[in-house]
């Protein structure tokens, strides 16, 4: 089993150890997320957050802007209006919850952290808002640097790579250096499964995921119910839980530090079982 990079994240003063893989539960406050089971309104979010925390989620990832291919545009004000009340509601009920805000906008990130979020998950890797890197550096919060090309509206046309693993690693180097240059301590890398990648490229990325350990930063893997699974198996996103668990298990073997998922219980069970397998290597 690949070694997970040992890293501690400082989340609102709480140190989170990523030497054991953690799970991030997805809370989409959107009407058009690709998976219907992840679409929650403000009135449902506290109940879903409670269940995810009880099932073992370390982080809750709150997003108000759908980033599925071809997703509709949404203003920054509309996005903030969706996510801020949800963050406040979760923390009012679960003050110790560690909330990630899924946004590529610096203004939304700033407001979300002020409201209590402790981590910024940026699908654009800082490309869609030039103020994002300085904002997260000033805030001093952990930041997920994801690889993507284009925008959610254009990324499906930007899948030309000489070698997807080498190219993604190359394209992450410059933004990673910029963040380190700004003094940001806690950076998490995400290869961006499904973002400007074909299913074949996603499988290649997963197969060679351990190549990203060259950065010595923890890896977040988000494969949950994505089209790479359900298109390959000729099923629907609603039927893609088993496929998600299979690919998450591969990600665990390859060194994933965080699994971002719709289904927390199943991901936590995969982590627990793989820990027993890994323990045999230490005897």
């Amino acid at each position: 089993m690949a070694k997970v990079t040992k890293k501690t994240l400082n989340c609102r003063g709480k140190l989170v150890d990523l030497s054991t893989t953690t799970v991030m539960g997805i809370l989409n406050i959107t009407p058009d997320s690709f998976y219907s089971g992840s679409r929650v309104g403000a009135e449902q979010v506290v109940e879903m957050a409670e269940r995810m925390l009880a099932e073992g989620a370390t982080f809750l990832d709150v997003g108000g802007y759908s980033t599925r291919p071809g997703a509709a545009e949404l203003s920054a004000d509309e996005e903030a209006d969706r996510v801020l009340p949800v963050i406040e509601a979760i923390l009012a009920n679960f003050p110790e919850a560690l909330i990630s805000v899924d946004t590529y906008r610096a203004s939304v990130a700033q407001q979300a952290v002020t409201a209590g979020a402790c981590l910024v998950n940026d699908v654009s890797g800082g490309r869609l808002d030039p103020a994002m890197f300085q904002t997260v550096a000033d805030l001093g919060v952990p930041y997920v640097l994801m690889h993507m090309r284009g925008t959610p509206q254009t990324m499906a046309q930007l899948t030309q790579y000489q070698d997807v693993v080498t190219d993604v690693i190359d394209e992450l180097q410059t933004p990673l250096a910029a963040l380190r240059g700004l003094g940001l301590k806690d950076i998490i890398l995400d290869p961006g499964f499904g973002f400007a990648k074909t299913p074949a490229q996603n499988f290649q990325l997963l197969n060679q995921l351990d190549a990203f350990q060259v950065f010595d930063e923890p890896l977040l893997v988000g494969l949950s119910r994505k089209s790479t699974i359900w298109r390959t198996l000729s099923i629907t996103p609603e039927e893609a839980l088993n496929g998600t668990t299979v690919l998450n298990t591969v990600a665990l073997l390859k060194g994933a530090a965080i699994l971002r998922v719709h289904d927390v219980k199943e991901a936590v069970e995969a982590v627990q079982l793989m820990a027993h397998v890994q323990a045999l290597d230490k005897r």
Side-chain angles (χ1 to χ4, degrees):
M1 185 173 181
K3 180 182 178 181
V4 177
T5 299
K6 288 191 176 181
K7 184 78 174 179
T8 300
L9 298 181
N10 186 339
C11 295
R12 290 207 333 249
K14 178 179 180 180
L15 295 182
V16 180
D17 182 12
L18 297 184
S19 61
T20 299
T21 305
T22 61
V23 173
M24 174 183 284
I26 300 169
L27 293 173
N28 285 323
I29 319 303
T30 61
D32 58 345
S33 177
F34 74 90
Y35 169 49
S36 61
S38 71
R39 303 172 199 150
V40 294
E43 69 281 356
Q44 301 168 287
V45 73
V46 171
E47 179 182 344
M48 184 173 284
E50 181 177 23
R51 183 173 76 248
M52 287 182 169
L53 292 170
E55 290 174 346
T58 299
F59 305 100
L60 300 175
D61 194 41
V62 176
Y65 185 127
S66 177
T67 52
R68 63 178 175 79
E73 290 278 6
L74 187 74
S75 74
D77 287 343
E78 290 173 311
E79 183 183 357
D81 286 345
R82 286 180 179 179
V83 301
L84 298 181
V86 166
I87 292 170
E88 292 166 355
I90 293 172
L91 291 175
N93 287 271
F94 311 104
E96 300 303 312
L98 300 179
I99 298 179
S100 163
V101 60
D102 179 1
T103 185
Y104 65 79
R105 292 180 167 122
S107 64
V108 176
Q110 174 80 57
Q111 294 175 78
V113 171
T114 300
C118 68
L119 186 153
V120 176
N121 180 15
D122 178 5
V123 298
S124 82
R127 295 178 62 258
L128 296 182
D129 188 339
M132 179 61 90
F133 283 5
Q134 188 63 61
T135 297
V136 293
D138 291 344
L139 291 168
V141 294
Y143 175 75
V144 179
L145 173 66
M146 198 190 83
H147 177 271
M148 183 176 77
R149 290 175 171 178
T151 69
Q153 292 74 32
T154 65
M155 63 185 178
Q157 287 75 52
L158 301 172
T159 60
Q160 295 75 35
Y161 300 89
Q162 287 193 337
D163 178 275
V164 67
V165 176
T166 301
D167 291 353
V168 170
I169 287 173
D170 286 346
E171 291 173 23
L172 285 172
Q173 288 188 47
T174 297
L176 179 59
L179 287 165
R180 288 172 172 169
L182 290 169
L184 191 64
K185 302 298 184 185
D186 293 326
I187 304 167
I188 303 148
L189 297 180
D190 181 348
F193 290 97
F195 289 80
K197 284 94 173 174
T198 65
Q201 289 165 347
N202 289 325
F203 285 123
Q204 185 180 348
L205 275 175
L206 181 59
N207 184 50
Q208 297 176 246
L209 187 68
D210 45 1
F212 288 85
Q213 293 181 20
V214 67
F215 291 117
D216 196 31
E217 301 286 0
L219 294 174
L220 183 150
V221 170
L223 285 159
S224 184
R225 296 183 182 266
K226 286 187 174 177
S227 62
T228 290
I229 299 169
W230 51 266
R231 291 188 190 280
T232 299
L233 299 176
S234 300
I235 57 177
T236 66
E238 286 70 25
E239 298 171 302
L241 174 56
N242 183 59
T244 296
T245 301
V246 170
L247 296 193
N248 279 343
T249 302
V250 176
L252 291 170
L253 285 166
K254 299 286 185 177
I258 303 173
L259 297 178
R260 182 180 180 272
V261 300
H262 299 93
D263 308 280
V264 170
K265 177 177 180 289
E266 290 79 1
V268 168
E269 288 176 348
V271 170
Q272 291 172 337
L273 291 172
M274 288 306 305
H276 284 278
V277 174
Q278 185 182 25
L280 296 174
D281 296 332
K282 298 177 182 179
R283 290 183 178 178

